[in-house]
Amino acid sequence: MSAPDEPNGAPADNRPERSGGKLPERLFEAGTEWLRAGGEASDVVLSSRARIARNLAGQLFVHKAAPTDLRLVLEACRDVLESIPLGARNTWLELHESPAVERSLLLERHLISSQFAKGKLGPKRRSNDWPRAVIFGLPDERSAVMVNEEDHLRLQVIRSGLALREAWAEADAIDDRIEAGLDYAFSPRLGYLTACPTNVGTGVRFSVMLHLPGLRMAGEIEKVKHAAADMSLAVRGFYGEGSEAFGDFYQLSNQTTLGKSEAQLLDELAEKILPEVIEYERQSRQRLLEKRRWQLEDTVHRAIGVLHHARLLGVDETMKLLSIVRLGVCLGVVDTIDVTALHRLMLLVQPTHLQQAAGKNLAQDGRKRERARAVRERLAAM
Amino acid sequence: MPIGGRGLGSYTAPGVNCDRCENEATVHEVTISDGQVLEVHLCEVCAQETGVVSGSPAPVEEILKKIAAGKAAEPTAACEACGTTFAQFKQAGRLGCPECYQALEKQLGPILDRAHQGAVHHVGKVPKRMMQLGGEGAGLVDRAAALAAAQSRAEQIRRLRADLARAVNAEHYEQAAQIRDRLRQLQHGAGTDSETAEGTA
């Protein structure tokens, strides 16, 4: 175990001090890969994601390590990560130095996890004394690595639509390049060693973000949840672990990581359960169209009406309405609205994005007013 | 393992504490003795100590005596590299360092078993530097292939355990006994392979 002598907060070595990075200007306006609305089965699958957890050999895990240890890990990882192109250009951001609003923006863009944004990892790890960073590729933000999250490295690649294999291939290649520069904690018996035993083995989690309004309206969501549980898959909300499903968006992911190869884990999700869920959702939507067309059209157009005319909109309500409109667009009930524009709106109405676009901090009521105004303006422009 | 009388095998019942100590019970045995249904819930360590999961059958009286003899001593093993104990792990939900897996191997066994459906060996990607270690690296590659085969057995065991629990809950004891026998055969098969036997329940 490394046990550096420096007092807390002292520079770990003699290298010139580097900046903690800067958030790209007007990032809140940019589109991201996961909202591109392209790729296979994109009527049901918003995005596919491969996540890899890795730790450095001979280092304490993050929640146990002293801030000086974590600083060393951060610097070692930074050297390697900055040499790997994660997009046209990389952006490195140190989150213990960044304001809460920046972290919240990254969370809303699915670039970091909720505990990483909040800066809470057990009683010892608080935001200010927890050296941690994220590096991601611009302009599409599809590859990102969190350094010193629960594990030293959490790499994710997100692709639009159903593209788990492509996401895994990219993540695997980035992982190879990181590994060429850093020694991973690995055991021949247990595989990649992670802070939590539930991730040990491959350290890989595959997930897909699904839009399931048809199954929800048919009252079949519980069946999907049970089927997923039977196959040891987890069903989570829009913002991952512990978050609620709003607007009929659900994340489906594998839970076991030991004893199955990455290819097996991928097949279980991509070949077994997903085609069925996608098919059931499409069938439910078709039934709505065939048997309850007028009710469906009414629901969709009422949603558009509210979005056009409301003067106060909460985020939950807005997501529900946008979800219904998305269903209408996918079924051809509405042809004046573009899915990509709708997706961008889904991001824009999130609290931090909304305030960044407005250029000011807003209290809850102010946000509701601003959200209604922004939605109105964007819909009018479509 | 039959605990005297007619053994009906194990099933899963999450959230039940061990009859001998405070750990969560991972071995649940139902037996019929003199027409009475008897349930025993034990953690991994106590199950082995009492012979419930060992090869040697122990009479029910002996086991009950051992259970009645009181709480087993809490394992106090700590990781030499970082000092993390199992109690600290349970509280934080995270281990202290990579060495903890070795140091707390026994206590982590049931947790890994539950989280990964009985799998005890990594299958899949291996760091390239491990592959370049000559003999050991080559061994890993061979083992990856062998483990892929073992995986289907682990999946069968998992399914049979679920079937057994259902049969016991429905009081279909004859069916349960048959499933238990099939499980034993499979687990015995796993037992002949020293690599895959370690850590299994």
Side-chain angles (χ1 to χ4, degrees):
Chain A
M1 282 317 104
S2 75
D5 296 322
E6 295 87 358
N8 287 3
D13 57 19
N14 294 327
R15 94 185 64 214
E17 202 162 304
R18 300 194 282 195
S19 92
K22 217 171 150 237
L23 196 73
E25 268 183 43
R26 306 193 78 75
L27 184 69
F28 61 89
E29 286 182 335
T32 83
E33 167 71 14
W34 64 275
L35 288 176
R36 190 165 55 82
E40 204 186 319
S42 61
D43 53 333
V44 180
V45 186
L46 228 69
S47 60
S48 305
R49 170 179 178 260
R51 186 274 275 155
I52 301 182
R54 298 284 187 254
N55 286 279
L56 304 193
Q59 296 290 328
L60 293 169
F61 289 144
V62 175
H63 83 107
K64 187 94 175 173
T68 42
D69 293 348
L70 295 177
R71 186 78 236 172
L72 285 175
V73 169
L74 201 72
E75 289 300 329
C77 292
R78 183 176 186 175
D79 283 341
V80 173
L81 291 170
E82 290 206 303
S83 71
I84 303 170
L86 300 173
R89 62 193 166 93
N90 289 359
T91 291
W92 169 270
L93 282 171
E94 296 197 355
L95 300 184
H96 51 287
E97 293 178 351
S98 74
V101 61
E102 278 191 4
R103 286 182 261 133
S104 179
L105 194 74
L106 296 169
L107 170 66
E108 288 177 0
R109 300 182 79 77
H110 288 216
L111 283 167
I112 62 173
S113 63
S114 162
Q115 67 178 4
F116 212 50
K118 287 181 190 148
K120 286 179 187 163
L121 184 68
K124 280 188 181 172
R125 286 283 83 88
R126 293 289 172 193
S127 198
N128 297 337
D129 68 351
W130 175 13
R132 62 196 196 282
V134 64
I135 182 166
F136 55 93
L138 287 170
D140 60 8
E141 301 168 33
R142 79 183 194 207
S143 307
V145 186
M146 287 185 280
V147 183
N148 287 342
E149 211 255 15
E150 177 179 295
D151 297 296
H152 294 138
L153 294 157
R154 285 281 181 107
L155 156 67
Q156 71 166 20
V157 173
I158 298 187
R159 295 291 300 261
S160 184
L162 181 56
L164 280 169
R165 276 171 218 292
E166 292 81 354
W168 165 245
E170 275 185 55
D172 187 27
I174 296 170
D175 182 50
D176 284 346
R177 297 193 62 171
I178 300 174
E179 184 216 305
L182 295 166
D183 266 359
Y184 284 151
F186 182 85
S187 135
R189 188 166 76 84
L190 290 174
Y192 293 93
L193 302 175
T194 50
C196 182
T198 53
N199 293 315
V200 80
T202 59
V204 172
R205 220 173 278 293
F206 294 109
S207 63
V208 280
M209 181 79 78
L210 303 172
H211 187 216
L212 306 176
L215 286 168
R216 200 256 307 152
M217 287 180 188
E220 306 265 298
I221 284 293
E222 287 307 311
K223 277 192 196 165
V224 174
K225 287 186 178 172
H226 287 142
D230 282 348
M231 295 194 65
S232 287
L233 299 170
V235 181
R236 300 196 167 109
F238 196 65
Y239 282 103
E241 207 163 339
S243 73
E244 291 294 315
F246 61 174
D248 302 319
F249 295 101
Y250 300 85
Q251 258 186 52
L252 196 66
S253 61
N254 64 295
Q255 282 190 294
T256 50
T257 51
L258 184 65
K260 287 177 188 168
S261 67
E262 295 82 358
Q264 281 174 297
L265 293 170
L266 211 156
D267 281 347
E268 279 184 3
L269 196 57
E271 306 293 335
K272 290 185 187 161
I273 191 164
L274 265 179
E276 281 188 39
V277 176
I278 293 169
E279 192 48 39
Y280 285 147
E281 171 61 24
R282 284 177 178 162
Q283 282 172 9
S284 302
R285 291 183 187 184
Q286 275 310 314
R287 268 198 300 275
L288 283 173
L289 205 55
E290 284 160 18
K291 299 194 172 153
R292 294 167 55 197
R293 185 174 183 111
W294 288 111
Q295 289 97 321
L296 176 72
E297 288 202 9
D298 181 64
T299 307
V300 171
H301 286 283
R302 275 171 189 270
I304 296 172
V306 173
L307 289 168
H308 262 298
H309 297 288
R311 290 302 188 261
L312 294 172
L313 278 173
V315 67
D316 284 6
E317 183 189 5
T318 311
M319 288 297 282
K320 273 184 197 150
L321 295 167
L322 290 173
S323 161
I324 293 167
V325 177
R326 189 183 191 276
L327 173 69
V329 174
C330 288
L331 286 176
V333 171
V334 184
D335 55 10
T336 52
I337 295 175
D338 169 59
V339 182
T340 310
L342 208 57
H343 283 188
R344 292 182 88 137
L345 205 47
M346 277 163 39
L347 192 55
L348 180 76
V349 298
Q350 301 303 320
T352 311
H353 276 76
L354 191 73
Q355 293 175 83
Q356 291 273 300
K360 56 187 171 193
N361 286 339
L362 296 163
Q364 199 177 17
D365 265 3
R367 287 205 297 273
K368 282 186 174 177
R369 217 164 45 235
E370 177 58 25
R371 188 175 288 114
R373 195 200 60 74
V375 167
R376 216 161 47 235
E377 191 181 281
R378 300 279 170 133
L379 281 180
M382 278 182 197
Chain B
M1 200 76 245
I3 318 174
R6 187 174 159 211
L8 294 166
S10 57
Y11 62 98
T12 44
V16 178
N17 279 351
C18 176
D19 293 339
R20 296 178 83 217
C21 67
E22 285 175 3
N23 288 339
E24 188 176 343
T26 54
V27 177
H28 311 272
E29 286 279 337
V30 181
T31 59
I32 298 179
S33 186
D34 295 334
Q36 284 202 314
V37 178
L38 183 68
E39 284 189 47
V40 177
H41 307 280
L42 297 167
C43 71
E44 203 74 4
V45 178
C46 296
Q48 274 175 10
E49 284 177 11
T50 53
V52 172
V53 294
S54 81
S56 58
V60 69
E61 294 79 13
E62 199 178 307
I63 290 170
L64 291 174
K65 224 183 283 172
K66 283 187 187 173
I67 292 168
K71 201 177 132 181
E74 262 293 301
T76 51
C79 174
E80 278 184 25
C82 72
T84 299
T85 63
F86 186 62
Q88 285 171 344
F89 160 70
K90 279 204 294 188
Q91 204 182 357
R94 297 179 182 96
L95 294 160
C97 74
E99 304 300 321
C100 289
Y101 280 98
Q102 184 89 41
L104 305 175
E105 190 183 358
K106 274 194 179 157
Q107 295 100 315
L108 287 175
I111 291 167
L112 289 169
D113 184 83
R114 252 200 320 276
H116 303 289
Q117 303 173 345
V120 291
H121 261 291
H122 171 57
V123 184
K125 191 170 178 177
V126 169
K128 292 209 169 46
R129 70 182 162 86
M130 299 293 288
M131 307 288 279
Q132 288 155 2
L133 293 178
E136 194 188 341
L140 281 173
V141 181
D142 292 346
R143 188 153 63 205
L147 288 172
Q151 183 55 43
S152 69
R153 188 171 57 201
E155 177 63 26
Q156 261 179 296
I157 289 177
R158 192 184 70 82
R159 266 206 308 274
L160 282 174
R161 278 183 179 161
D163 291 347
L164 181 61
R166 270 195 292 274
V168 170
N169 286 337
E171 301 187 357
H172 295 152
Y173 295 124
E174 276 193 21
Q175 191 193 357
Q178 285 171 1
I179 298 172
R180 176 209 57 201
D181 291 343
R182 288 219 310 277
L183 249 174
R184 284 219 187 109
Q185 275 176 352
L186 269 174
Q187 282 169 329
H188 182 70
T192 56
D193 175 358
S194 63
E195 289 292 28
T196 49
E198 45 183 313
T200 50

